[in-house]
Amino acid sequence: MTIFERSKKGRKAYRLPESDIPEYSLPNRFLRRTPPELPEVSEPDVVRHYTDLARKNYSVDRGIYPLGSCTMKYNPKLNEKAANLEGFREIHPYQPAETVQGSLRLMYELKEMLCEITGMDDMTLQPAAGAHGELTGMLIVREYFKSRGDTGRKKVLVPDSAHGTNPASASMVGFEVVEIKSKNGMVDVEDLRKLLDEEVAAVMLTNPNTLGLFEKDILKIAEMTHECGALLYYDGANLNAIMGKVKPGDMGFDIVHLNLHKTFSTPHGMGGPGSGPVGVKKHLVDFLPFPQVRKNGELYELFVPEKTIGRVRSFFGNFPVLVKAYTYILTMGRDGLERVSEMAVLNANYLKKKIEKFLEIPYNGFCMHEFVASAEKVFRETGVRTLDIAKRILDFGVHPPTVYFPLIVLEALMIEPTETENKETLDKYAEILERVVKEAYENPDVLKNAPHNTPVRRVDEVLASKKPVFRWRG
């Protein structure tokens, strides 16, 4: 039931004081011709309606969100409290720099910490999300070669297991995207060697990759990329597996984008805004977006890099997310961030070991923070697809993993437990998944018609995408 359907004429949930503002007549063109179509409800109606909706909603505060590649982990409430401090909450982006020194200091120190973590020389905090960071990185690549008069660099190489945003971001900037084949779940170095030529501008990699495997030939890949004059780009979606262990800059990457809303806390996706800072090595610093923050004596100031690609976001990025990430890093400290990675890897390997008893793991062995299972055998033998398994998992009160990604694995389930889940939660999740797979063999129709217990059953996702309904109409 919607709030409009609870409406009863004459009910109110508020009582406004008499206005103390002198009467002022607006021009007729600004006046409504009809009253707004708002629901008429009492205060208990409003409270109960939205409390009921909250109970129906699944969130990371209620349970595990094992979305592979998305890192939907529990976020400390301390970070939310810090972002809500009056000094951060009440500032305005048009204020003079001298009146927001504390916020500029936070931004400066945050980018310095992120540079230390990634092995980069400087960073922009402007991009609003990971994909936006990729776009920013590709713009920097384009401008770098343009400044050198090297206009023949038209290609960007992307592995067949890459995040879908990688080829999309490169294509949006005007590059031709060329796919690199995988071998045993990792970049096929020989195929990469064949593709590298004077037309390649960049190679985009995620390490660990989307199969949860660490690219063991990364130093060789970096050497080959640089020998042909191209740049090496790091998709930082999986940085949470290696913090404190190895830096992308030490692997040979020239550009890095991070997902503050994943690796450094803050709910993302439908849970809140994102932030995708981009870090670069020295030879690319002058191409960063403006404005940048620097320290001048005891003061912090904004400046425009010499060969900047321009603005990529209004003002200074999603500032509250920056505050949360800053708080998270200071709270965890160096040892804490390293521990985060250790626990993320431990949890993933523990859960994989339990799940491999009843689902195939196409690329088995030691994984990093995530792994990919396959229900292809289940589908062949029962007709039950991965989507059916995912929908049935919902009936047990937990969230399913990412499905059908990466594309090189048939009937894929991409699982990332994150570092914040305990052993009991992982055991319960494995038990639920095992029970669902068993049901596929015993009563496949139960899965094919799932979910059964959720407020909304299966929706027509294509119709919802093509013809979305954004408002209620009586």
Side-chain angles (χ1 to χ4, degrees), residues 158-160 179-183 186-189 191-192 195:
V158 180
D160 55 12
E179 186 177 272
I180 313 168
K181 293 186 178 70
S182 290
K183 184 178 182 180
M186 290 177 276
V187 168
D188 185 334
V189 176
D191 189 52
L192 173 64
L195 297 173

Side-chain angles (χ1 to χ4, degrees), residues 265-278:
S265 98
T266 300
H268 81 302
M270 293 305 290
S275 179
V278 173

Side-chain angles (χ1 to χ4, degrees), residues 154-402:
K154 300 174 182 178
K155 299 178 183 176
V156 169
L157 308 185
V158 180
D160 55 12
S161 65
H163 295 121
T165 52
N166 286 182
S169 298
S171 180
M172 285 180 69
V173 174
F175 288 114
E176 175 191 345
V177 178
V178 180
E179 186 177 272
I180 313 168
K181 293 186 178 70
S182 290
K183 184 178 182 180
N184 300 322
M186 290 177 276
V187 168
D188 185 334
V189 176
E190 291 310 310
D191 189 52
L192 173 64
R193 192 187 307 278
K194 296 173 187 175
L195 297 173
L196 284 170
D197 58 31
E198 64 279 357
E199 290 188 343
V200 175
V203 177
M204 299 181 80
L205 292 182
T206 308
N207 196 22
N209 64 27
T210 51
L211 292 163
L213 304 175
F214 190 87
E215 295 282 355
K216 60 183 178 61
D217 294 318
I218 186 58
L219 295 180
K220 182 65 177 175
I221 292 170
E223 180 184 357
M224 291 165 57
T225 300
H226 293 144
E227 279 180 356
C228 95
L231 299 173
L232 190 58
Y233 180 92
Y234 184 81
D235 177 338
N238 299 339
L239 183 75
N240 54 301
I242 61 170
M243 290 186 297
K245 299 297 182 182
V246 62
K247 301 177 182 181
D250 294 343
M251 296 184 217
F253 286 93
D254 301 286
I255 308 176
V256 169
H257 98 254
L258 303 177
N259 294 332
L260 296 190
H261 53 279
K262 294 181 179 183
T263 310
F264 301 99
S265 98
T266 300
H268 81 302
M270 293 305 290
S275 179
V278 173
V280 296
K281 286 290 195 176
K282 286 181 180 178
H283 54 290
L284 300 171
V285 167
D286 285 342
F287 300 96
L288 287 170
F290 76 87
Q292 281 287 89
V293 182
R294 66 186 173 196
K295 191 173 183 182
N296 186 1
E298 296 300 313
L299 297 176
Y300 297 89
E301 62 183 16
L302 301 171
F303 72 99
V304 179
E306 187 177 336
K307 301 176 183 177
T308 181
I309 61 171
R311 280 189 184 273
V312 295
R313 176 74 163 80
S314 57
F315 306 120
F316 314 111
N318 286 334
F319 184 70
V321 181
L322 306 183
V323 177
K324 295 173 192 180
Y326 180 82
T327 306
Y328 181 77
I329 294 172
L330 289 184
T331 304
M332 300 302 293
R334 188 199 181 285
D335 293 341
L337 291 178
E338 185 174 1
R339 181 68 171 164
V340 163
S341 294
E342 291 172 348
M343 291 306 299
V345 173
L346 176 63
N347 279 357
N349 280 277
Y350 177 78
L351 190 57
K352 179 176 73 68
K353 201 68 180 173
K354 297 185 78 74
I355 287 176
E356 68 183 18
K357 297 173 184 177
F358 50 87
L359 283 177
E360 293 178 288
I361 310 293
Y363 301 97
N364 214 335
F366 188 82
C367 68
M368 299 299 288
H369 62 302
E370 65 188 1
F371 62 96
V372 178
S374 171
E376 183 188 10
K377 182 172 181 286
V378 177
F379 173 55
R380 288 199 315 267
E381 296 175 352
T382 70
V384 169
R385 308 208 64 144
T386 294
L387 181 65
D388 301 322
I389 293 173
K391 295 298 185 183
R392 181 58 175 156
I393 288 173
L394 293 171
D395 284 328
F396 294 90
V398 294
H399 202 283
T402 299

